[in-house]
Amino acid sequence: MAAMDIATAAFGSTTGQVLQFIIDGLATGRYEPGQRLNAASLCKELGLSKAPVREALHVLAGEGVIDMPKNRGAIIRELTRQDLLDLWEAFALTIGREIRLAVNGMQDATARERLLAAMQGIKEERDRGASINFYRALHGFHDAARQCVDNRFVVNSQMLRLAEFWLPYIQRSVPLDTYIDHYVANYQRICDAMIAGDAPTAESAFHYHGRWSAAIIRGEFPDPASPWVG
């Protein structure tokens, strides 16, 4: 699910519009960590009233993207490498279980087609070059898998929104040009296992990817040519 869809479903179209505008601003460099967000300017740029802008800022504050010190407005937080690592480890625990549960839905032809289309989307973004859209394609894969999970308690909408907010920080921290082909190989293994109905291998393949990604976030620069060990 795209960031705008998640935000709109949870908060309504106008608040979701503000959230998406700020997310895109982080991704493009219009906004930088430490920068102050001016509510009046956002209202003017988006042609919205104060209410949805204030609500969006409070959502971002609640999810750790911005700080709102008393009488100082809203300031975009700087996420440290440790923050990113903690976020990723929290996501990885949930996503590994989602993937295992999603395999049950792969008996449905439409679900298989949706997952394969998402995998193709990852490859197409790889071919376009390293960018934040590659990470969004990875999110598209997880969304396709998540739609097959028949357990509403596994899907955490707050974590889904937070994943969109932290993408620009990941983009700055990971040398994607170096690792993009390995990302694709990892997801291809996950996809193949899911399509084959092999839940343990699918989950194991994702956990390998999770450990490998964590090493990159820590700045360890793992060898992309190292063999996969499930």
PDB file of all heavy atoms in Angstrom, residues 201-213:
ATOM      1  N   THR A 201      11.106 -22.009   4.171  1.00  0.00           N
ATOM      2  CA  THR A 201      12.199 -21.456   3.364  1.00  0.00           C
ATOM      3  C   THR A 201      11.965 -19.977   3.090  1.00  0.00           C
ATOM      4  O   THR A 201      12.908 -19.175   3.101  1.00  0.00           O
ATOM      5  CB  THR A 201      12.353 -22.225   2.045  1.00  0.00           C
ATOM      6  OG1 THR A 201      12.712 -23.580   2.346  1.00  0.00           O
ATOM      7  CG2 THR A 201      13.427 -21.616   1.165  1.00  0.00           C
ATOM      8  N   ALA A 202      10.720 -19.589   2.834  1.00  0.00           N
ATOM      9  CA  ALA A 202      10.412 -18.175   2.591  1.00  0.00           C
ATOM     10  C   ALA A 202      10.777 -17.329   3.801  1.00  0.00           C
ATOM     11  O   ALA A 202      11.418 -16.280   3.682  1.00  0.00           O
ATOM     12  CB  ALA A 202       8.934 -18.011   2.247  1.00  0.00           C
ATOM     13  N   GLU A 203      10.388 -17.803   4.988  1.00  0.00           N
ATOM     14  CA  GLU A 203      10.706 -17.063   6.207  1.00  0.00           C
ATOM     15  C   GLU A 203      12.210 -17.034   6.447  1.00  0.00           C
ATOM     16  O   GLU A 203      12.778 -16.007   6.822  1.00  0.00           O
ATOM     17  CB  GLU A 203       9.996 -17.676   7.405  1.00  0.00           C
ATOM     18  CG  GLU A 203      10.168 -16.871   8.690  1.00  0.00           C
ATOM     19  CD  GLU A 203       9.389 -17.452   9.847  1.00  0.00           C
ATOM     20  OE1 GLU A 203       9.027 -18.649   9.792  1.00  0.00           O
ATOM     21  OE2 GLU A 203       9.132 -16.697  10.810  1.00  0.00           O
ATOM     22  N   SER A 204      12.869 -18.175   6.215  1.00  0.00           N
ATOM     23  CA  SER A 204      14.322 -18.241   6.401  1.00  0.00           C
ATOM     24  C   SER A 204      15.038 -17.297   5.443  1.00  0.00           C
ATOM     25  O   SER A 204      15.993 -16.604   5.825  1.00  0.00           O
ATOM     26  CB  SER A 204      14.802 -19.676   6.184  1.00  0.00           C
ATOM     27  OG  SER A 204      16.200 -19.774   6.312  1.00  0.00           O
ATOM     28  N   ALA A 205      14.574 -17.238   4.195  1.00  0.00           N
ATOM     29  CA  ALA A 205      15.190 -16.351   3.205  1.00  0.00           C
ATOM     30  C   ALA A 205      15.030 -14.902   3.626  1.00  0.00           C
ATOM     31  O   ALA A 205      15.956 -14.086   3.447  1.00  0.00           O
ATOM     32  CB  ALA A 205      14.566 -16.578   1.827  1.00  0.00           C
ATOM     33  N   PHE A 206      13.865 -14.558   4.182  1.00  0.00           N
ATOM     34  CA  PHE A 206      13.702 -13.183   4.626  1.00  0.00           C
ATOM     35  C   PHE A 206      14.597 -12.880   5.821  1.00  0.00           C
ATOM     36  O   PHE A 206      15.172 -11.786   5.909  1.00  0.00           O
ATOM     37  CB  PHE A 206      12.254 -12.847   4.978  1.00  0.00           C
ATOM     38  CG  PHE A 206      12.138 -11.424   5.454  1.00  0.00           C
ATOM     39  CD1 PHE A 206      12.145 -10.391   4.534  1.00  0.00           C
ATOM     40  CD2 PHE A 206      12.124 -11.124   6.797  1.00  0.00           C
ATOM     41  CE1 PHE A 206      12.124  -9.069   4.957  1.00  0.00           C
ATOM     42  CE2 PHE A 206      12.100  -9.808   7.233  1.00  0.00           C
ATOM     43  CZ  PHE A 206      12.096  -8.781   6.305  1.00  0.00           C
ATOM     44  N   HIS A 207      14.716 -13.818   6.756  1.00  0.00           N
ATOM     45  CA  HIS A 207      15.564 -13.566   7.920  1.00  0.00           C
ATOM     46  C   HIS A 207      17.029 -13.413   7.512  1.00  0.00           C
ATOM     47  O   HIS A 207      17.764 -12.617   8.106  1.00  0.00           O
ATOM     48  CB  HIS A 207      15.393 -14.671   8.956  1.00  0.00           C
ATOM     49  CG  HIS A 207      14.113 -14.570   9.722  1.00  0.00           C
ATOM     50  ND1 HIS A 207      13.655 -13.384  10.250  1.00  0.00           N
ATOM     51  CD2 HIS A 207      13.175 -15.503  10.043  1.00  0.00           C
ATOM     52  CE1 HIS A 207      12.503 -13.577  10.858  1.00  0.00           C
ATOM     53  NE2 HIS A 207      12.180 -14.856  10.747  1.00  0.00           N
ATOM     54  N   TYR A 208      17.435 -14.149   6.487  1.00  0.00           N
ATOM     55  CA  TYR A 208      18.786 -13.922   5.946  1.00  0.00           C
ATOM     56  C   TYR A 208      18.889 -12.480   5.452  1.00  0.00           C
ATOM     57  O   TYR A 208      19.861 -11.772   5.749  1.00  0.00           O
ATOM     58  CB  TYR A 208      19.084 -14.888   4.797  1.00  0.00           C
ATOM     59  CG  TYR A 208      20.267 -14.449   3.958  1.00  0.00           C
ATOM     60  CD1 TYR A 208      21.570 -14.718   4.370  1.00  0.00           C
ATOM     61  CD2 TYR A 208      20.082 -13.722   2.783  1.00  0.00           C
ATOM     62  CE1 TYR A 208      22.657 -14.291   3.628  1.00  0.00           C
ATOM     63  CE2 TYR A 208      21.160 -13.283   2.038  1.00  0.00           C
ATOM     64  CZ  TYR A 208      22.444 -13.570   2.467  1.00  0.00           C
ATOM     65  OH  TYR A 208      23.516 -13.128   1.733  1.00  0.00           O
ATOM     66  N   HIS A 209      17.892 -12.058   4.677  1.00  0.00           N
ATOM     67  CA  HIS A 209      17.899 -10.683   4.169  1.00  0.00           C
ATOM     68  C   HIS A 209      17.906  -9.681   5.321  1.00  0.00           C
ATOM     69  O   HIS A 209      18.585  -8.645   5.251  1.00  0.00           O
ATOM     70  CB  HIS A 209      16.680 -10.448   3.285  1.00  0.00           C
ATOM     71  CG  HIS A 209      16.546  -9.032   2.824  1.00  0.00           C
ATOM     72  ND1 HIS A 209      17.370  -8.479   1.875  1.00  0.00           N
ATOM     73  CD2 HIS A 209      15.705  -8.031   3.230  1.00  0.00           C
ATOM     74  CE1 HIS A 209      17.041  -7.201   1.692  1.00  0.00           C
ATOM     75  NE2 HIS A 209      16.033  -6.918   2.496  1.00  0.00           N
ATOM     76  N   GLY A 210      17.156  -9.971   6.360  1.00  0.00           N
ATOM     77  CA  GLY A 210      17.112  -9.073   7.508  1.00  0.00           C
ATOM     78  C   GLY A 210      18.470  -8.917   8.168  1.00  0.00           C
ATOM     79  O   GLY A 210      18.890  -7.806   8.500  1.00  0.00           O
ATOM     80  N   ARG A 211      19.190 -10.029   8.348  1.00  0.00           N
ATOM     81  CA  ARG A 211      20.525  -9.964   8.960  1.00  0.00           C
ATOM     82  C   ARG A 211      21.499  -9.224   8.054  1.00  0.00           C
ATOM     83  O   ARG A 211      22.326  -8.422   8.517  1.00  0.00           O
ATOM     84  CB  ARG A 211      21.039 -11.382   9.257  1.00  0.00           C
ATOM     85  CG  ARG A 211      20.241 -12.120  10.308  1.00  0.00           C
ATOM     86  CD  ARG A 211      20.940 -13.400  10.732  1.00  0.00           C
ATOM     87  NE  ARG A 211      21.137 -14.331   9.631  1.00  0.00           N
ATOM     88  CZ  ARG A 211      20.267 -15.248   9.255  1.00  0.00           C
ATOM     89  NH1 ARG A 211      19.092 -15.353   9.876  1.00  0.00           N
ATOM     90  NH2 ARG A 211      20.528 -16.075   8.269  1.00  0.00           N
ATOM     91  N   TRP A 212      21.397  -9.485   6.783  1.00  0.00           N
ATOM     92  CA  TRP A 212      22.274  -8.852   5.798  1.00  0.00           C
ATOM     93  C   TRP A 212      22.021  -7.338   5.757  1.00  0.00           C
ATOM     94  O   TRP A 212      22.957  -6.536   5.763  1.00  0.00           O
ATOM     95  CB  TRP A 212      21.994  -9.498   4.441  1.00  0.00           C
ATOM     96  CG  TRP A 212      22.727  -8.926   3.277  1.00  0.00           C
ATOM     97  CD1 TRP A 212      23.998  -9.209   2.879  1.00  0.00           C
ATOM     98  CD2 TRP A 212      22.197  -7.984   2.322  1.00  0.00           C
ATOM     99  NE1 TRP A 212      24.296  -8.503   1.735  1.00  0.00           N
ATOM    100  CE2 TRP A 212      23.215  -7.745   1.382  1.00  0.00           C
ATOM    101  CE3 TRP A 212      20.969  -7.341   2.180  1.00  0.00           C
ATOM    102  CZ2 TRP A 212      23.040  -6.878   0.305  1.00  0.00           C
ATOM    103  CZ3 TRP A 212      20.800  -6.484   1.112  1.00  0.00           C
ATOM    104  CH2 TRP A 212      21.827  -6.261   0.199  1.00  0.00           C
ATOM    105  N   SER A 213      20.746  -6.953   5.758  1.00  0.00           N
ATOM    106  CA  SER A 213      20.397  -5.530   5.745  1.00  0.00           C
ATOM    107  C   SER A 213      20.868  -4.832   7.011  1.00  0.00           C
ATOM    108  O   SER A 213      21.342  -3.692   6.966  1.00  0.00           O
ATOM    109  CB  SER A 213      18.884  -5.356   5.595  1.00  0.00           C
ATOM    110  OG  SER A 213      18.422  -5.909   4.389  1.00  0.00           O
TER     111      SER A 213
END
